[in-house]
Amino acid sequence: MTHPTEYPLVQGGRSAALATACVRGGVAAGLGLGALAVLVTAAWISSPFPDSGPGGALHVAAGLWLLAHGVDLVRTDTLSGLPAPLGVVPMLLAVLPVWLVHRAARDTLDPGADSDRPRPSPSGAVAAVAGGYLLVGAVVVVYSESGPLPAELISAGFWLPAVVFGAAGAGVWTALGRPLPGQRQAAAALRAAGLGLVTLCGGGAVLAAVSLAWHASEAQASLTGLAGEWSGRAAVLLLVLALLPNAAVWGAAYGLGPGFTLGTGALATPLGLAGDPAVPPFPLLAALPAEGRGTWADWAAAAVPLAATLVQGWCVGRTARGWPARDAALTALAAAWGCGAVVAVLAAAAGGPLGSGRLSAFGPVWWQAGAATVLWGACVGVPTALAVRAWGRRALRPKPLPLPVPAPANSDAAASATTPAAVSAGAEAGAGSGEPFDLEAQPAAAPDAASGPAPGAGQVPKSTGKPDPGTPAATAKAAAPALDLDLDDDPGYEPYDYLPAAWESSPPPGPGG
């Protein structure tokens, strides 16, 4: 009788797991596309002037789904009749597809309640989920070619796989417990870059919100001018909501210094708005700075990258308190490069062409925003990290112990029991017995009738073989009851009645001595 081997079963289980992961990727793509299709169809139904049938609405939904992945579209229905590119990605629209891919890859490696089911390797999970998603994406690209917003093939071949593989890799990383690199410098640089990026984008959002509130009347006039009915205004407000992350990136680029372009012939920086801007009517664009030289309010935007780089340097310096200065500086510089790379990607997604001619450049320039982020991190973040490291090393230095104060010499033997040397002798004896030493609880030195007059009378007391109750020797013997030694029975034992408080040199003998 032959026993069946488990090898084919294991291989079949892994193949089934890869197939399941591929299906998960396709389902994630379908859910994102379906959500956008429902939203566009609802807007088309509520519009009082539908220009096309349901087929046109589905084509628009397919184009928006591709645009959410960073794919540039081409508008064929223009006033001039020439096709015009559309490359500004509504970044909030990209949250749903990216999250769906992330969740599909995470659930592929997360066993959940069924821990016995086979799971693919991390690289296999990424490839399977991304493969299933890209199969649906290829069908959508082909379908969009027959609509009013076809995809640009070169952009679709680059950005769609890049976004899908990045989101799937992040999902697998989450399923593995978000491990950081083994090197401490790399892990600290990643943490600092993340904190700096969050601070920078948050500050940019604050700048955009303050400017939009300052120009609230212009934004309201632009909204009412674009649409008169409630359905059109709701569609415009939804587009504004989807472009809010773009406004945060624009604000961050403005504070960094390079600013953003408003057409091929205009540039907005904290120093002022130069050139002739080509700005279409839109509520968010009403928050742009006025033409002319910048004022102190515009220059205050530099506080955003300053705060981001200070946070970045503080994070590195706090971690690098025990490191050499060279490692701390290199870690802060690596954090600046990491933050700059992410800012460059976000700037490329937040801007792009809105048409041909003067609108072919709109928004922040990606390489300028990334280079400015690295420059801020090198000039501010690295010195901050070194300063925080130096300040933190002060707490690691051991504090010097206070020097003991020498006890004054005293020639009176009666007062020797109260000197610091006697107190320390009694304390050592008490410490050896496990009991605290109390000076006030010790009996006072008293003359013994059998030993003669007090030593203060100028006579040396005779040794009786037993220590005086008032001397430190007697105190030490009384404080050590745990010793079972009888020192009185030892014939070689000669107790000292008094211990000198300090060693003093004896005077030279006289002529008669």
Side-chain angles (χ1 to χ4, degrees), residues 33 36-45 50-64 143 147-149:
L33 182 60
L36 280 179
V38 170
L39 183 63
V40 173
T41 304
W44 171 74
I45 293 174
D51 296 334
S52 58
L58 293 179
H59 278 92
V60 171
L64 288 179
Y143 177 75
L149 294 174

mmCIF file with all atom_site columns, all heavy atoms in Angstrom, residues 33 36-45 50-64 143 147-149:
data_model
loop_
_atom_site.group_PDB
_atom_site.id
_atom_site.type_symbol
_atom_site.label_atom_id
_atom_site.label_alt_id
_atom_site.label_comp_id
_atom_site.label_asym_id
_atom_site.label_entity_id
_atom_site.label_seq_id
_atom_site.pdbx_PDB_ins_code
_atom_site.Cartn_x
_atom_site.Cartn_y
_atom_site.Cartn_z
_atom_site.occupancy
_atom_site.B_iso_or_equiv
_atom_site.pdbx_formal_charge
_atom_site.auth_seq_id
_atom_site.auth_comp_id
_atom_site.auth_asym_id
_atom_site.auth_atom_id
_atom_site.pdbx_PDB_model_num
ATOM 1   N N   . LEU A 1 33  ? -14.144 50.964 -9.895  1.00 0.00 ? 33  LEU A N   1
ATOM 2   C CA  . LEU A 1 33  ? -14.778 51.428 -11.125 1.00 0.00 ? 33  LEU A CA  1
ATOM 3   C C   . LEU A 1 33  ? -16.285 51.538 -10.956 1.00 0.00 ? 33  LEU A C   1
ATOM 4   O O   . LEU A 1 33  ? -16.924 52.494 -11.436 1.00 0.00 ? 33  LEU A O   1
ATOM 5   C CB  . LEU A 1 33  ? -14.432 50.465 -12.260 1.00 0.00 ? 33  LEU A CB  1
ATOM 6   C CG  . LEU A 1 33  ? -14.966 50.808 -13.648 1.00 0.00 ? 33  LEU A CG  1
ATOM 7   C CD1 . LEU A 1 33  ? -14.443 52.162 -14.111 1.00 0.00 ? 33  LEU A CD1 1
ATOM 8   C CD2 . LEU A 1 33  ? -14.591 49.718 -14.657 1.00 0.00 ? 33  LEU A CD2 1
ATOM 9   N N   . LEU A 1 36  ? -17.264 54.770 -8.953  1.00 0.00 ? 36  LEU A N   1
ATOM 10  C CA  . LEU A 1 36  ? -17.223 55.973 -9.782  1.00 0.00 ? 36  LEU A CA  1
ATOM 11  C C   . LEU A 1 36  ? -18.343 55.985 -10.813 1.00 0.00 ? 36  LEU A C   1
ATOM 12  O O   . LEU A 1 36  ? -18.904 57.041 -11.134 1.00 0.00 ? 36  LEU A O   1
ATOM 13  C CB  . LEU A 1 36  ? -15.870 56.076 -10.477 1.00 0.00 ? 36  LEU A CB  1
ATOM 14  C CG  . LEU A 1 36  ? -14.728 56.613 -9.627  1.00 0.00 ? 36  LEU A CG  1
ATOM 15  C CD1 . LEU A 1 36  ? -13.440 56.635 -10.426 1.00 0.00 ? 36  LEU A CD1 1
ATOM 16  C CD2 . LEU A 1 36  ? -15.040 58.015 -9.124  1.00 0.00 ? 36  LEU A CD2 1
ATOM 17  N N   . ALA A 1 37  ? -18.685 54.817 -11.354 1.00 0.00 ? 37  ALA A N   1
ATOM 18  C CA  . ALA A 1 37  ? -19.773 54.752 -12.330 1.00 0.00 ? 37  ALA A CA  1
ATOM 19  C C   . ALA A 1 37  ? -21.104 55.153 -11.692 1.00 0.00 ? 37  ALA A C   1
ATOM 20  O O   . ALA A 1 37  ? -21.914 55.865 -12.311 1.00 0.00 ? 37  ALA A O   1
ATOM 21  C CB  . ALA A 1 37  ? -19.856 53.336 -12.916 1.00 0.00 ? 37  ALA A CB  1
ATOM 22  N N   . VAL A 1 38  ? -21.343 54.707 -10.478 1.00 0.00 ? 38  VAL A N   1
ATOM 23  C CA  . VAL A 1 38  ? -22.576 55.095 -9.782  1.00 0.00 ? 38  VAL A CA  1
ATOM 24  C C   . VAL A 1 38  ? -22.609 56.604 -9.548  1.00 0.00 ? 38  VAL A C   1
ATOM 25  O O   . VAL A 1 38  ? -23.647 57.263 -9.738  1.00 0.00 ? 38  VAL A O   1
ATOM 26  C CB  . VAL A 1 38  ? -22.683 54.325 -8.452  1.00 0.00 ? 38  VAL A CB  1
ATOM 27  C CG1 . VAL A 1 38  ? -23.816 54.886 -7.598  1.00 0.00 ? 38  VAL A CG1 1
ATOM 28  C CG2 . VAL A 1 38  ? -22.910 52.851 -8.717  1.00 0.00 ? 38  VAL A CG2 1
ATOM 29  N N   . LEU A 1 39  ? -21.466 57.180 -9.122  1.00 0.00 ? 39  LEU A N   1
ATOM 30  C CA  . LEU A 1 39  ? -21.426 58.618 -8.862  1.00 0.00 ? 39  LEU A CA  1
ATOM 31  C C   . LEU A 1 39  ? -21.659 59.434 -10.133 1.00 0.00 ? 39  LEU A C   1
ATOM 32  O O   . LEU A 1 39  ? -22.450 60.401 -10.142 1.00 0.00 ? 39  LEU A O   1
ATOM 33  C CB  . LEU A 1 39  ? -20.071 58.967 -8.248  1.00 0.00 ? 39  LEU A CB  1
ATOM 34  C CG  . LEU A 1 39  ? -19.865 60.417 -7.828  1.00 0.00 ? 39  LEU A CG  1
ATOM 35  C CD1 . LEU A 1 39  ? -20.851 60.797 -6.732  1.00 0.00 ? 39  LEU A CD1 1
ATOM 36  C CD2 . LEU A 1 39  ? -18.433 60.632 -7.350  1.00 0.00 ? 39  LEU A CD2 1
ATOM 37  N N   . VAL A 1 40  ? -21.018 59.043 -11.234 1.00 0.00 ? 40  VAL A N   1
ATOM 38  C CA  . VAL A 1 40  ? -21.176 59.780 -12.489 1.00 0.00 ? 40  VAL A CA  1
ATOM 39  C C   . VAL A 1 40  ? -22.593 59.602 -13.046 1.00 0.00 ? 40  VAL A C   1
ATOM 40  O O   . VAL A 1 40  ? -23.184 60.554 -13.575 1.00 0.00 ? 40  VAL A O   1
ATOM 41  C CB  . VAL A 1 40  ? -20.103 59.318 -13.494 1.00 0.00 ? 40  VAL A CB  1
ATOM 42  C CG1 . VAL A 1 40  ? -20.337 59.947 -14.864 1.00 0.00 ? 40  VAL A CG1 1
ATOM 43  C CG2 . VAL A 1 40  ? -18.711 59.699 -12.994 1.00 0.00 ? 40  VAL A CG2 1
ATOM 44  N N   . THR A 1 41  ? -23.130 58.416 -12.924 1.00 0.00 ? 41  THR A N   1
ATOM 45  C CA  . THR A 1 41  ? -24.489 58.174 -13.418 1.00 0.00 ? 41  THR A CA  1
ATOM 46  C C   . THR A 1 41  ? -25.513 58.991 -12.628 1.00 0.00 ? 41  THR A C   1
ATOM 47  O O   . THR A 1 41  ? -26.480 59.529 -13.202 1.00 0.00 ? 41  THR A O   1
ATOM 48  C CB  . THR A 1 41  ? -24.822 56.675 -13.338 1.00 0.00 ? 41  THR A CB  1
ATOM 49  O OG1 . THR A 1 41  ? -23.835 55.931 -14.069 1.00 0.00 ? 41  THR A OG1 1
ATOM 50  C CG2 . THR A 1 41  ? -26.197 56.392 -13.899 1.00 0.00 ? 41  THR A CG2 1
ATOM 51  N N   . ALA A 1 42  ? -25.301 59.088 -11.308 1.00 0.00 ? 42  ALA A N   1
ATOM 52  C CA  . ALA A 1 42  ? -26.219 59.914 -10.508 1.00 0.00 ? 42  ALA A CA  1
ATOM 53  C C   . ALA A 1 42  ? -26.127 61.379 -10.910 1.00 0.00 ? 42  ALA A C   1
ATOM 54  O O   . ALA A 1 42  ? -27.168 62.074 -10.993 1.00 0.00 ? 42  ALA A O   1
ATOM 55  C CB  . ALA A 1 42  ? -25.887 59.737 -9.026  1.00 0.00 ? 42  ALA A CB  1
ATOM 56  N N   . ALA A 1 43  ? -24.916 61.873 -11.188 1.00 0.00 ? 43  ALA A N   1
ATOM 57  C CA  . ALA A 1 43  ? -24.781 63.261 -11.643 1.00 0.00 ? 43  ALA A CA  1
ATOM 58  C C   . ALA A 1 43  ? -25.415 63.461 -13.014 1.00 0.00 ? 43  ALA A C   1
ATOM 59  O O   . ALA A 1 43  ? -26.021 64.507 -13.290 1.00 0.00 ? 43  ALA A O   1
ATOM 60  C CB  . ALA A 1 43  ? -23.299 63.645 -11.671 1.00 0.00 ? 43  ALA A CB  1
ATOM 61  N N   . TRP A 1 44  ? -25.292 62.460 -13.882 1.00 0.00 ? 44  TRP A N   1
ATOM 62  C CA  . TRP A 1 44  ? -25.903 62.577 -15.216 1.00 0.00 ? 44  TRP A CA  1
ATOM 63  C C   . TRP A 1 44  ? -27.431 62.572 -15.136 1.00 0.00 ? 44  TRP A C   1
ATOM 64  O O   . TRP A 1 44  ? -28.107 63.308 -15.857 1.00 0.00 ? 44  TRP A O   1
ATOM 65  C CB  . TRP A 1 44  ? -25.405 61.420 -16.088 1.00 0.00 ? 44  TRP A CB  1
ATOM 66  C CG  . TRP A 1 44  ? -26.112 61.307 -17.399 1.00 0.00 ? 44  TRP A CG  1
ATOM 67  C CD1 . TRP A 1 44  ? -25.959 62.111 -18.492 1.00 0.00 ? 44  TRP A CD1 1
ATOM 68  C CD2 . TRP A 1 44  ? -27.103 60.335 -17.753 1.00 0.00 ? 44  TRP A CD2 1
ATOM 69  N NE1 . TRP A 1 44  ? -26.781 61.711 -19.504 1.00 0.00 ? 44  TRP A NE1 1
ATOM 70  C CE2 . TRP A 1 44  ? -27.499 60.621 -19.082 1.00 0.00 ? 44  TRP A CE2 1
ATOM 71  C CE3 . TRP A 1 44  ? -27.694 59.262 -17.080 1.00 0.00 ? 44  TRP A CE3 1
ATOM 72  C CZ2 . TRP A 1 44  ? -28.461 59.852 -19.742 1.00 0.00 ? 44  TRP A CZ2 1
ATOM 73  C CZ3 . TRP A 1 44  ? -28.632 58.504 -17.747 1.00 0.00 ? 44  TRP A CZ3 1
ATOM 74  C CH2 . TRP A 1 44  ? -29.012 58.788 -19.062 1.00 0.00 ? 44  TRP A CH2 1
ATOM 75  N N   . ILE A 1 45  ? -27.976 61.739 -14.244 1.00 0.00 ? 45  ILE A N   1
ATOM 76  C CA  . ILE A 1 45  ? -29.438 61.689 -14.112 1.00 0.00 ? 45  ILE A CA  1
ATOM 77  C C   . ILE A 1 45  ? -29.986 62.984 -13.539 1.00 0.00 ? 45  ILE A C   1
ATOM 78  O O   . ILE A 1 45  ? -31.044 63.494 -13.962 1.00 0.00 ? 45  ILE A O   1
ATOM 79  C CB  . ILE A 1 45  ? -29.834 60.489 -13.227 1.00 0.00 ? 45  ILE A CB  1
ATOM 80  C CG1 . ILE A 1 45  ? -29.505 59.175 -13.933 1.00 0.00 ? 45  ILE A CG1 1
ATOM 81  C CG2 . ILE A 1 45  ? -31.309 60.533 -12.868 1.00 0.00 ? 45  ILE A CG2 1
ATOM 82  C CD1 . ILE A 1 45  ? -29.738 57.939 -13.075 1.00 0.00 ? 45  ILE A CD1 1
ATOM 83  N N   . PRO A 1 50  ? -28.662 66.817 -20.024 1.00 0.00 ? 50  PRO A N   1
ATOM 84  C CA  . PRO A 1 50  ? -27.758 65.703 -20.355 1.00 0.00 ? 50  PRO A CA  1
ATOM 85  C C   . PRO A 1 50  ? -27.357 65.772 -21.824 1.00 0.00 ? 50  PRO A C   1
ATOM 86  O O   . PRO A 1 50  ? -28.209 65.778 -22.719 1.00 0.00 ? 50  PRO A O   1
ATOM 87  C CB  . PRO A 1 50  ? -28.596 64.463 -20.046 1.00 0.00 ? 50  PRO A CB  1
ATOM 88  C CG  . PRO A 1 50  ? -30.008 64.911 -20.182 1.00 0.00 ? 50  PRO A CG  1
ATOM 89  C CD  . PRO A 1 50  ? -30.053 66.356 -19.786 1.00 0.00 ? 50  PRO A CD  1
ATOM 90  N N   . ASP A 1 51  ? -26.055 65.824 -22.064 1.00 0.00 ? 51  ASP A N   1
ATOM 91  C CA  . ASP A 1 51  ? -25.552 65.948 -23.428 1.00 0.00 ? 51  ASP A CA  1
ATOM 92  C C   . ASP A 1 51  ? -25.402 64.605 -24.127 1.00 0.00 ? 51  ASP A C   1
ATOM 93  O O   . ASP A 1 51  ? -25.290 64.551 -25.352 1.00 0.00 ? 51  ASP A O   1
ATOM 94  C CB  . ASP A 1 51  ? -24.192 66.662 -23.432 1.00 0.00 ? 51  ASP A CB  1
ATOM 95  C CG  . ASP A 1 51  ? -24.322 68.087 -22.927 1.00 0.00 ? 51  ASP A CG  1
ATOM 96  O OD1 . ASP A 1 51  ? -25.421 68.650 -23.052 1.00 0.00 ? 51  ASP A OD1 1
ATOM 97  O OD2 . ASP A 1 51  ? -23.313 68.621 -22.400 1.00 0.00 ? 51  ASP A OD2 1
ATOM 98  N N   . SER A 1 52  ? -25.346 63.530 -23.385 1.00 0.00 ? 52  SER A N   1
ATOM 99  C CA  . SER A 1 52  ? -25.157 62.222 -23.990 1.00 0.00 ? 52  SER A CA  1
ATOM 100 C C   . SER A 1 52  ? -25.973 61.201 -23.196 1.00 0.00 ? 52  SER A C   1
ATOM 101 O O   . SER A 1 52  ? -26.516 61.498 -22.129 1.00 0.00 ? 52  SER A O   1
ATOM 102 C CB  . SER A 1 52  ? -23.681 61.826 -24.010 1.00 0.00 ? 52  SER A CB  1
ATOM 103 O OG  . SER A 1 52  ? -23.159 61.822 -22.692 1.00 0.00 ? 52  SER A OG  1
ATOM 104 N N   . GLY A 1 53  ? -26.002 59.980 -23.709 1.00 0.00 ? 53  GLY A N   1
ATOM 105 C CA  . GLY A 1 53  ? -26.762 58.944 -23.066 1.00 0.00 ? 53  GLY A CA  1
ATOM 106 C C   . GLY A 1 53  ? -25.962 58.257 -21.971 1.00 0.00 ? 53  GLY A C   1
ATOM 107 O O   . GLY A 1 53  ? -24.903 58.721 -21.535 1.00 0.00 ? 53  GLY A O   1
ATOM 108 N N   . PRO A 1 54  ? -26.451 57.112 -21.479 1.00 0.00 ? 54  PRO A N   1
ATOM 109 C CA  . PRO A 1 54  ? -25.730 56.403 -20.419 1.00 0.00 ? 54  PRO A CA  1
ATOM 110 C C   . PRO A 1 54  ? -24.360 55.908 -20.875 1.00 0.00 ? 54  PRO A C   1
ATOM 111 O O   . PRO A 1 54  ? -23.460 55.741 -20.057 1.00 0.00 ? 54  PRO A O   1
ATOM 112 C CB  . PRO A 1 54  ? -26.677 55.241 -20.079 1.00 0.00 ? 54  PRO A CB  1
ATOM 113 C CG  . PRO A 1 54  ? -27.578 55.094 -21.262 1.00 0.00 ? 54  PRO A CG  1
ATOM 114 C CD  . PRO A 1 54  ? -27.724 56.456 -21.849 1.00 0.00 ? 54  PRO A CD  1
ATOM 115 N N   . GLY A 1 55  ? -24.194 55.646 -22.176 1.00 0.00 ? 55  GLY A N   1
ATOM 116 C CA  . GLY A 1 55  ? -22.881 55.245 -22.664 1.00 0.00 ? 55  GLY A CA  1
ATOM 117 C C   . GLY A 1 55  ? -21.836 56.321 -22.459 1.00 0.00 ? 55  GLY A C   1
ATOM 118 O O   . GLY A 1 55  ? -20.692 56.046 -22.073 1.00 0.00 ? 55  GLY A O   1
ATOM 119 N N   . GLY A 1 56  ? -22.209 57.558 -22.678 1.00 0.00 ? 56  GLY A N   1
ATOM 120 C CA  . GLY A 1 56  ? -21.278 58.662 -22.448 1.00 0.00 ? 56  GLY A CA  1
ATOM 121 C C   . GLY A 1 56  ? -20.926 58.802 -20.981 1.00 0.00 ? 56  GLY A C   1
ATOM 122 O O   . GLY A 1 56  ? -19.767 59.096 -20.632 1.00 0.00 ? 56  GLY A O   1
ATOM 123 N N   . ALA A 1 57  ? -21.905 58.573 -20.083 1.00 0.00 ? 57  ALA A N   1
ATOM 124 C CA  . ALA A 1 57  ? -21.618 58.649 -18.640 1.00 0.00 ? 57  ALA A CA  1
ATOM 125 C C   . ALA A 1 57  ? -20.654 57.553 -18.215 1.00 0.00 ? 57  ALA A C   1
ATOM 126 O O   . ALA A 1 57  ? -19.738 57.776 -17.408 1.00 0.00 ? 57  ALA A O   1
ATOM 127 C CB  . ALA A 1 57  ? -22.928 58.555 -17.854 1.00 0.00 ? 57  ALA A CB  1
ATOM 128 N N   . LEU A 1 58  ? -20.821 56.336 -18.789 1.00 0.00 ? 58  LEU A N   1
ATOM 129 C CA  . LEU A 1 58  ? -19.902 55.257 -18.449 1.00 0.00 ? 58  LEU A CA  1
ATOM 130 C C   . LEU A 1 58  ? -18.494 55.534 -18.974 1.00 0.00 ? 58  LEU A C   1
ATOM 131 O O   . LEU A 1 58  ? -17.502 55.186 -18.320 1.00 0.00 ? 58  LEU A O   1
ATOM 132 C CB  . LEU A 1 58  ? -20.436 53.933 -19.001 1.00 0.00 ? 58  LEU A CB  1
ATOM 133 C CG  . LEU A 1 58  ? -21.736 53.418 -18.356 1.00 0.00 ? 58  LEU A CG  1
ATOM 134 C CD1 . LEU A 1 58  ? -22.163 52.113 -19.012 1.00 0.00 ? 58  LEU A CD1 1
ATOM 135 C CD2 . LEU A 1 58  ? -21.546 53.218 -16.855 1.00 0.00 ? 58  LEU A CD2 1
ATOM 136 N N   . HIS A 1 59  ? -18.387 56.139 -20.136 1.00 0.00 ? 59  HIS A N   1
ATOM 137 C CA  . HIS A 1 59  ? -17.071 56.503 -20.657 1.00 0.00 ? 59  HIS A CA  1
ATOM 138 C C   . HIS A 1 59  ? -16.400 57.553 -19.771 1.00 0.00 ? 59  HIS A C   1
ATOM 139 O O   . HIS A 1 59  ? -15.180 57.506 -19.540 1.00 0.00 ? 59  HIS A O   1
ATOM 140 C CB  . HIS A 1 59  ? -17.186 57.021 -22.093 1.00 0.00 ? 59  HIS A CB  1
ATOM 141 C CG  . HIS A 1 59  ? -17.248 55.929 -23.113 1.00 0.00 ? 59  HIS A CG  1
ATOM 142 N ND1 . HIS A 1 59  ? -18.443 55.404 -23.558 1.00 0.00 ? 59  HIS A ND1 1
ATOM 143 C CD2 . HIS A 1 59  ? -16.264 55.256 -23.785 1.00 0.00 ? 59  HIS A CD2 1
ATOM 144 C CE1 . HIS A 1 59  ? -18.201 54.463 -24.465 1.00 0.00 ? 59  HIS A CE1 1
ATOM 145 N NE2 . HIS A 1 59  ? -16.880 54.354 -24.616 1.00 0.00 ? 59  HIS A NE2 1
ATOM 146 N N   . VAL A 1 60  ? -17.182 58.491 -19.279 1.00 0.00 ? 60  VAL A N   1
ATOM 147 C CA  . VAL A 1 60  ? -16.620 59.502 -18.369 1.00 0.00 ? 60  VAL A CA  1
ATOM 148 C C   . VAL A 1 60  ? -16.157 58.845 -17.072 1.00 0.00 ? 60  VAL A C   1
ATOM 149 O O   . VAL A 1 60  ? -15.094 59.180 -16.530 1.00 0.00 ? 60  VAL A O   1
ATOM 150 C CB  . VAL A 1 60  ? -17.660 60.601 -18.098 1.00 0.00 ? 60  VAL A CB  1
ATOM 151 C CG1 . VAL A 1 60  ? -17.175 61.534 -16.986 1.00 0.00 ? 60  VAL A CG1 1
ATOM 152 C CG2 . VAL A 1 60  ? -17.932 61.404 -19.357 1.00 0.00 ? 60  VAL A CG2 1
ATOM 153 N N   . ALA A 1 61  ? -16.936 57.890 -16.572 1.00 0.00 ? 61  ALA A N   1
ATOM 154 C CA  . ALA A 1 61  ? -16.532 57.185 -15.350 1.00 0.00 ? 61  ALA A CA  1
ATOM 155 C C   . ALA A 1 61  ? -15.247 56.401 -15.574 1.00 0.00 ? 61  ALA A C   1
ATOM 156 O O   . ALA A 1 61  ? -14.359 56.375 -14.707 1.00 0.00 ? 61  ALA A O   1
ATOM 157 C CB  . ALA A 1 61  ? -17.661 56.245 -14.902 1.00 0.00 ? 61  ALA A CB  1
ATOM 158 N N   . ALA A 1 62  ? -15.104 55.762 -16.722 1.00 0.00 ? 62  ALA A N   1
ATOM 159 C CA  . ALA A 1 62  ? -13.861 55.043 -17.023 1.00 0.00 ? 62  ALA A CA  1
ATOM 160 C C   . ALA A 1 62  ? -12.682 56.000 -17.105 1.00 0.00 ? 62  ALA A C   1
ATOM 161 O O   . ALA A 1 62  ? -11.581 55.698 -16.610 1.00 0.00 ? 62  ALA A O   1
ATOM 162 C CB  . ALA A 1 62  ? -14.016 54.263 -18.324 1.00 0.00 ? 62  ALA A CB  1
ATOM 163 N N   . GLY A 1 63  ? -12.878 57.168 -17.721 1.00 0.00 ? 63  GLY A N   1
ATOM 164 C CA  . GLY A 1 63  ? -11.795 58.150 -17.794 1.00 0.00 ? 63  GLY A CA  1
ATOM 165 C C   . GLY A 1 63  ? -11.399 58.672 -16.426 1.00 0.00 ? 63  GLY A C   1
ATOM 166 O O   . GLY A 1 63  ? -10.206 58.829 -16.128 1.00 0.00 ? 63  GLY A O   1
ATOM 167 N N   . LEU A 1 64  ? -12.382 58.938 -15.565 1.00 0.00 ? 64  LEU A N   1
ATOM 168 C CA  . LEU A 1 64  ? -12.061 59.417 -14.219 1.00 0.00 ? 64  LEU A CA  1
ATOM 169 C C   . LEU A 1 64  ? -11.344 58.336 -13.402 1.00 0.00 ? 64  LEU A C   1
ATOM 170 O O   . LEU A 1 64  ? -10.455 58.652 -12.599 1.00 0.00 ? 64  LEU A O   1
ATOM 171 C CB  . LEU A 1 64  ? -13.353 59.838 -13.509 1.00 0.00 ? 64  LEU A CB  1
ATOM 172 C CG  . LEU A 1 64  ? -14.004 61.134 -13.998 1.00 0.00 ? 64  LEU A CG  1
ATOM 173 C CD1 . LEU A 1 64  ? -15.285 61.412 -13.212 1.00 0.00 ? 64  LEU A CD1 1
ATOM 174 C CD2 . LEU A 1 64  ? -13.051 62.311 -13.869 1.00 0.00 ? 64  LEU A CD2 1
ATOM 175 N N   . TYR A 1 143 ? -11.507 50.392 -23.465 1.00 0.00 ? 143 TYR A N   1
ATOM 176 C CA  . TYR A 1 143 ? -12.872 50.914 -23.530 1.00 0.00 ? 143 TYR A CA  1
ATOM 177 C C   . TYR A 1 143 ? -12.900 52.439 -23.603 1.00 0.00 ? 143 TYR A C   1
ATOM 178 O O   . TYR A 1 143 ? -13.768 53.016 -24.276 1.00 0.00 ? 143 TYR A O   1
ATOM 179 C CB  . TYR A 1 143 ? -13.649 50.427 -22.305 1.00 0.00 ? 143 TYR A CB  1
ATOM 180 C CG  . TYR A 1 143 ? -15.054 50.956 -22.207 1.00 0.00 ? 143 TYR A CG  1
ATOM 181 C CD1 . TYR A 1 143 ? -16.067 50.450 -23.033 1.00 0.00 ? 143 TYR A CD1 1
ATOM 182 C CD2 . TYR A 1 143 ? -15.389 51.946 -21.289 1.00 0.00 ? 143 TYR A CD2 1
ATOM 183 C CE1 . TYR A 1 143 ? -17.358 50.930 -22.941 1.00 0.00 ? 143 TYR A CE1 1
ATOM 184 C CE2 . TYR A 1 143 ? -16.676 52.428 -21.196 1.00 0.00 ? 143 TYR A CE2 1
ATOM 185 C CZ  . TYR A 1 143 ? -17.662 51.928 -22.025 1.00 0.00 ? 143 TYR A CZ  1
ATOM 186 O OH  . TYR A 1 143 ? -18.943 52.407 -21.947 1.00 0.00 ? 143 TYR A OH  1
ATOM 187 N N   . GLY A 1 147 ? -14.402 56.841 -26.160 1.00 0.00 ? 147 GLY A N   1
ATOM 188 C CA  . GLY A 1 147 ? -15.188 57.858 -25.472 1.00 0.00 ? 147 GLY A CA  1
ATOM 189 C C   . GLY A 1 147 ? -14.609 59.249 -25.622 1.00 0.00 ? 147 GLY A C   1
ATOM 190 O O   . GLY A 1 147 ? -13.612 59.474 -26.323 1.00 0.00 ? 147 GLY A O   1
ATOM 191 N N   . PRO A 1 148 ? -15.198 60.223 -24.909 1.00 0.00 ? 148 PRO A N   1
ATOM 192 C CA  . PRO A 1 148 ? -14.719 61.608 -25.012 1.00 0.00 ? 148 PRO A CA  1
ATOM 193 C C   . PRO A 1 148 ? -13.423 61.861 -24.236 1.00 0.00 ? 148 PRO A C   1
ATOM 194 O O   . PRO A 1 148 ? -12.798 62.900 -24.430 1.00 0.00 ? 148 PRO A O   1
ATOM 195 C CB  . PRO A 1 148 ? -15.869 62.427 -24.428 1.00 0.00 ? 148 PRO A CB  1
ATOM 196 C CG  . PRO A 1 148 ? -16.554 61.488 -23.489 1.00 0.00 ? 148 PRO A CG  1
ATOM 197 C CD  . PRO A 1 148 ? -16.404 60.128 -24.069 1.00 0.00 ? 148 PRO A CD  1
ATOM 198 N N   . LEU A 1 149 ? -13.032 60.936 -23.351 1.00 0.00 ? 149 LEU A N   1
ATOM 199 C CA  . LEU A 1 149 ? -11.819 61.109 -22.554 1.00 0.00 ? 149 LEU A CA  1
ATOM 200 C C   . LEU A 1 149 ? -10.936 59.867 -22.697 1.00 0.00 ? 149 LEU A C   1
ATOM 201 O O   . LEU A 1 149 ? -10.792 59.072 -21.765 1.00 0.00 ? 149 LEU A O   1
ATOM 202 C CB  . LEU A 1 149 ? -12.170 61.352 -21.076 1.00 0.00 ? 149 LEU A CB  1
ATOM 203 C CG  . LEU A 1 149 ? -12.887 62.640 -20.733 1.00 0.00 ? 149 LEU A CG  1
ATOM 204 C CD1 . LEU A 1 149 ? -13.290 62.665 -19.266 1.00 0.00 ? 149 LEU A CD1 1
ATOM 205 C CD2 . LEU A 1 149 ? -11.989 63.842 -21.035 1.00 0.00 ? 149 LEU A CD2 1
#
